[in-house]
């Protein structure tokens, strides 16, 4: 069993990933959609804001309005587009948001800390949060019936509130819940780069024990991928590969070890 996550930032080659996955039946696909959310928010005239945690992790500020845009973009548009594309390629894909069947059950953060011009502020109406439980039996049910699941945030709380959960970390949690051997995180760069502006500076291997020291290389949202990788390995996944979605056969290449292998 394999869990593949494809990013939603600009420059991702989602179609490369779908073409590569179409003949397979041994995976769960998880996707984000940050670029779709940005574009839809802009089209609707709803400004996007970002918050930076004191440790330097950047997240989207998701108030009620943004949560609505987030759901429209990820579930309404992107998930449906991915599922219909997979079906056109002969794959029996089923799209699920984290809300369907309580697939991704979590907790909303009561307040998040953000650094603004060097000052730490508390933001209270943010709908971001973390997934605490994955409904693995629902995923298994689909597998057993011959379907391949395509999963995206939002997640949901036990009270039915939607949560903006990070798709990399969702993928890690799905991988743990499904006892996957490998988690592949496909993105718009060739892997974890020693020098973020130099695509040739891919760090080929990160020994699990040294993951925290490699955090220094990751800025912004790359940090979340390393956090996700750590959570996956902690939960029993054997190998995490961060690799490019920009060439053909991205899943095959990642499984062959091209990119950054964390094991
Ligand atoms: P996705 O939507 O594909 O998951 P993200 O924007 O969340 O993409 O994360 C990938 C981005 O992380 C890269 O485009 C790059 O700008 C940024 N980044 C920061 N530090 C690094 C690094 N050391 N190596 C590679 N990418 C990095």
């Amino acid at each position: 069993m394999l869990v593949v996550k494809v990013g939603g930032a600009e420059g991702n080659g989602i179609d490369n990933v779908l073409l590569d996955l179409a003949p397979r039946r041994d995976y769960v696909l998880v996707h984000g959609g940050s670029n779709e959310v940005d574009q839809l928010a802009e089209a609707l005239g709803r400004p996007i804001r970002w918050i930076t945690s004191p440790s330097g992790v950047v997240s989207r500020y998701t108030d009620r309005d943004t949560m609505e845009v987030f759901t429209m973009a990820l579930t309404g548009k992107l998930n449906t587009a991915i599922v219909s594309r997979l079906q056109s390629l002969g794959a029996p894909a089923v799209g699920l948001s984290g809300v369907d069947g309580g697939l991704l059950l979590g907790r909303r953060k009561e307040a998040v800390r953000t650094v603004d011009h060097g000052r730490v502020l508390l933001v209270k109406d943010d709908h971001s949060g973390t997934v605490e439980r994955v409904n693995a039996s629902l995923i298994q049910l689909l597998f057993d019936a011959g379907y391949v699941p395509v999963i995206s945030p939002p997640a949901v709380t036990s009270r039915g509130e939607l949560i903006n959960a990070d798709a990399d970390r969702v993928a890690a949690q799905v991988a743990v819940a499904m006892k996957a051997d490998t988690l592949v995180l496909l993105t718009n760069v060739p892997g974890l780069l020693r020098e973020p502006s130099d695509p040739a500076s891919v760090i080929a291997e990160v020994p699990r024990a040294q993951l925290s020291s490699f955090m220094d290389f990751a800025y912004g949202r790359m940090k979340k991928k390393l956090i996700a990788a750590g959570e996956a390995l902690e939960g029993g996944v054997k190998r995490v590969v961060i690799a490019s979605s920009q060439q053909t056969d991205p899943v095959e290449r990642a499984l062959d070890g091209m990119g950054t292998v964390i094991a």
Side-chain angles (χ1 to χ4, degrees):
M1 156 85 63
L2 174 66
V3 175
V4 177
K5 185 260 173 177
V6 61
E10 202 164 13
N12 270 289
I14 294 183
D15 208 51
N16 294 328
V17 180
L18 304 184
L19 286 164
D20 200 8
L21 286 176
R24 305 183 73 113
R25 297 291 181 266
D26 62 344
Y27 65 91
V28 176
L29 178 60
V30 176
H31 65 87
S34 51
N35 193 35
E36 293 287 349
V37 179
D38 293 349
Q39 283 180 2
L40 187 59
E42 198 181 318
L44 294 172
R46 297 184 184 182
I48 299 150
R49 281 172 289 173
W50 297 94
I51 44 189
T52 307
S53 77
S55 60
V57 179
V58 181
S59 316
R60 183 184 300 280
Y61 169 54
T62 317
D63 60 7
R64 238 180 124 113
D65 277 2
T66 310
M67 193 69 239
E68 204 172 275
V69 177
F70 182 92
T71 308
M72 287 190 253
L74 261 83
T75 307
K77 190 173 174 197
L78 196 53
N79 189 270
T80 303
I82 289 175
V83 170
S84 60
R85 175 64 172 147
L86 279 171
Q87 280 174 9
S88 77
L89 296 168
V94 171
L96 297 164
S97 84
V99 182
D100 293 294
L103 181 59
L104 306 171
L105 203 61
R107 197 164 38 86
R108 195 180 144 186
K109 288 177 195 150
E110 300 211 334
V112 283
R113 288 193 298 160
T114 176
V115 184
D116 186 22
H117 295 95
R119 286 175 55 214
V120 178
L121 305 173
L122 221 51
V123 177
K124 287 205 167 155
D125 59 346
D126 188 66
H127 281 247
S128 63
T130 46
V131 171
E132 291 173 326
R133 196 146 45 98
V134 174
N135 184 352
S137 60
L138 176 58
I139 300 176
Q140 195 58 51
L141 196 76
L142 291 170
F143 262 123
D144 293 346
Y147 294 101
V148 289
V150 179
I151 297 172
S152 74
V156 69
T157 69
S158 56
R159 288 161 48 198
E161 294 172 298
L162 302 189
I163 321 171
N164 174 5
D166 177 67
D168 289 302
R169 293 181 67 190
V170 163
Q173 283 161 308
V174 169
V176 170
M178 297 309 294
K179 301 185 167 51
D181 292 323
T182 306
L183 168 64
V184 174
L185 300 175
L186 296 172
T187 182
N188 58 2
V189 283
L192 175 64
L193 305 173
R194 201 167 280 281
E195 179 47 64
S197 59
D198 177 9
S201 67
V202 181
I203 298 169
E205 264 175 63
V206 175
R208 180 184 168 178
Q210 287 165 38
L211 191 56
S212 58
S213 62
F214 279 84
M215 281 283 180
D216 296 343
F217 292 109
Y219 304 94
R221 289 188 287 164
M222 182 50 71
K223 270 196 196 297
K224 287 229 169 115
K225 296 189 195 299
L226 298 189
I227 293 170
E231 289 172 347
L233 295 171
E234 189 68 32
V237 176
K238 294 193 184 68
R239 181 170 68 136
V240 180
V241 188
I242 302 175
S244 171
S245 64
Q246 296 178 313
Q247 306 118 327
T248 53
D249 309 325
V251 177
E252 209 54 52
R253 282 173 201 260
L255 293 175
D256 285 344
M258 293 183 72
T260 300
V261 179
I262 310 161

